[in-house]
Amino acid sequence: MTLTSYAHDALSRVLYGIHTILLFSKSDLVPVITPSMGMCLVLGAPTDLASFIQGVFWFQLHILSFEVQNQITGYEEDRLSKPTRPIVSGRISLDDAQKLYYAVLALTLLYSTYHGTVHFTVPYFVAIIVYNEGGLSKNWFMKSFLGAIGYSTYISGTTRVFGKSPPPLSTTSIMAVLFSATIHTTTGHAQDFRDRSGDAAIGRFTLAHIEPQWVGRGSLTALVCAWTVVLVAYWEPPLPVSIVLAALGIYSSWSYCYYQSEEADRDSYWWYSIWLLTAHALPAFRRLADAGIRIPSLI
């Protein structure tokens, strides 16, 4: 083998590995990564490229530590409903995925220690262990509650890294994190309707299974509408933004109630995720108001 072909082969392996790692969190891009990272940018406001890169890396390590083990324990579910994920598609073996999980856990803990954010990371580790290995993801409420801990960790920790750690989180940041966690706890079952067949395969009992469809979908509609009112009242965004948030909430809720196939629920969940993304952007208007910046109304 020539030096050129050896270098080409090594580069191909590295790129293949990076691609595989990114695929673990691909499905989180719209519902988790985008709204959480958007709020982190609003609250943390990184002032230089280095702090931004470090914050993104901190975020990615934490979400990867969850996703790798989640896809190991959820192998049978993914075979049915998410066949393109790295393990079930054959990009990485179960044994290698387990080794990757331990390596990511160790690196995450070390990196968090370096940034002084271990108090966020350790409870998060406990949450993902009882969620995955402990099997609490099979309980509909604990699934949403532990997911809310994940959201809180992503936002709190990344915000601290963006802001270079020392000062405590501001009141605006604390309220934003609390809202995010509570919204996920109360409306997290939005994701369960699209995964009914996969959940049934592993014995996971969600509202989509244990209650009539109108109960789960009706409660989601009521909660999304209620949260829209609360968020607009608290963050006081401009009227056009309030209208957009309300329209997204109403449309996603109507879609869940009117179209009830799993395929349709995937589309409904996308609209719900856009509503969630918009909701997570609202603290920006409080930050602007605190800075004395007035946004002129468009209506």
Side-chain angles (χ1 to χ4, degrees):
M1 180 181 290
T2 65
L3 182 61
T4 301
S5 60
Y6 178 82
H8 181 270
D9 182 63
L11 179 61
S12 297
R13 289 174 179 272
V14 169
L15 293 177
Y16 183 89
I18 292 173
H19 186 206
T20 299
I21 288 173
L22 292 176
L23 285 175
F24 273 106
S25 56
K26 179 182 177 181
S27 62
D28 294 318
L29 182 61
V30 174
V32 180
I33 296 174
T34 303
S36 298
M37 187 56 67
M39 184 175 283
C40 293
L41 290 170
V42 168
L43 301 176
T47 56
D48 57 77
L49 182 60
S51 60
F52 172 75
I53 292 174
Q54 290 176 44
V56 170
F57 188 59
W58 192 99
F59 185 104
Q60 185 61 34
L61 282 176
H62 282 73
I63 199 167
L64 185 62
S65 63
F66 167 76
E67 281 296 350
V68 174
Q69 186 62 22
N70 178 252
Q71 292 175 37
I72 291 173
T73 57
Y75 181 83
E76 292 301 323
E77 176 188 3
D78 288 348
R79 273 200 318 122
L80 293 174
S81 58
K82 300 168 185 173
T84 60
R85 283 184 159 184
I87 300 175
V88 293
S89 66
R91 287 187 66 92
I92 183 172
S93 68
L94 279 169
D95 286 343
D96 286 342
Q98 193 68 54
K99 294 173 185 176
L100 175 63
Y101 172 61
Y102 293 137
V104 172
L105 280 184
L107 181 58
T108 301
L109 185 58
L110 288 172
Y111 196 66
S112 186
T113 301
Y114 171 75
H115 281 288
T117 54
V118 175
H119 55 295
F120 295 128
T121 301
V122 172
Y124 174 73
F125 279 179
V126 173
I128 66 175
I129 289 171
V130 298
Y131 183 99
N132 290 317
E133 290 97 318
L136 290 187
S137 65
K138 294 182 179 181
N139 176 277
W140 70 270
F141 176 77
M142 292 306 299
K143 182 173 183 281
S144 294
F145 176 71
L146 293 170
I149 292 177
Y151 269 91
S152 302
T153 301
Y154 303 145
I155 296 170
S156 302
T158 306
T159 297
R160 288 291 295 272
V161 176
F162 276 166
K164 299 183 179 178
S165 289
L169 294 175
S170 66
T171 300
T172 297
S173 297
I174 292 172
M175 289 304 300
V177 171
L178 288 175
F179 275 136
S180 178
T182 313
I183 289 171
H184 189 81
T185 299
T186 54
T187 68
H189 59 289
Q191 65 184 306
D192 296 332
F193 297 103
R194 60 177 185 157
D195 289 332
R196 279 170 284 167
S197 58
D199 288 339
I202 63 170
R204 177 183 291 149
F205 299 103
T206 66
L207 281 181
H209 292 99
I210 64 177
E211 297 289 351
Q213 289 294 300
W214 68 268
V215 173
R217 296 173 190 272
S219 64
L220 179 62
T221 296
L223 288 163
V224 167
C225 291
W227 274 117
T228 298
V229 172
V230 170
L231 293 171
V232 167
Y234 186 83
W235 295 119
E236 300 179 327
L239 181 59
V241 177
S242 301
I243 293 173
V244 169
L245 182 69
L248 288 169
I250 291 170
Y251 180 77
S252 62
S253 299
W254 172 81
S255 182
Y256 268 113
C257 292
Y258 192 78
Y259 303 106
Q260 298 190 8
S261 68
E262 283 194 48
E263 183 176 355
D265 284 334
R266 293 186 182 96
D267 292 333
S268 300
Y269 184 62
W270 188 88
W271 284 107
Y272 163 84
S273 297
I274 299 302
W275 171 82
L276 189 65
L277 169 61
T278 307
H280 277 65
L282 297 185
F285 300 104
R286 177 61 56 83
R287 287 291 302 271
L288 291 172
D290 291 344
I293 300 174
R294 181 178 176 276
I295 301 178
S297 175
L298 300 179
I299 295 180

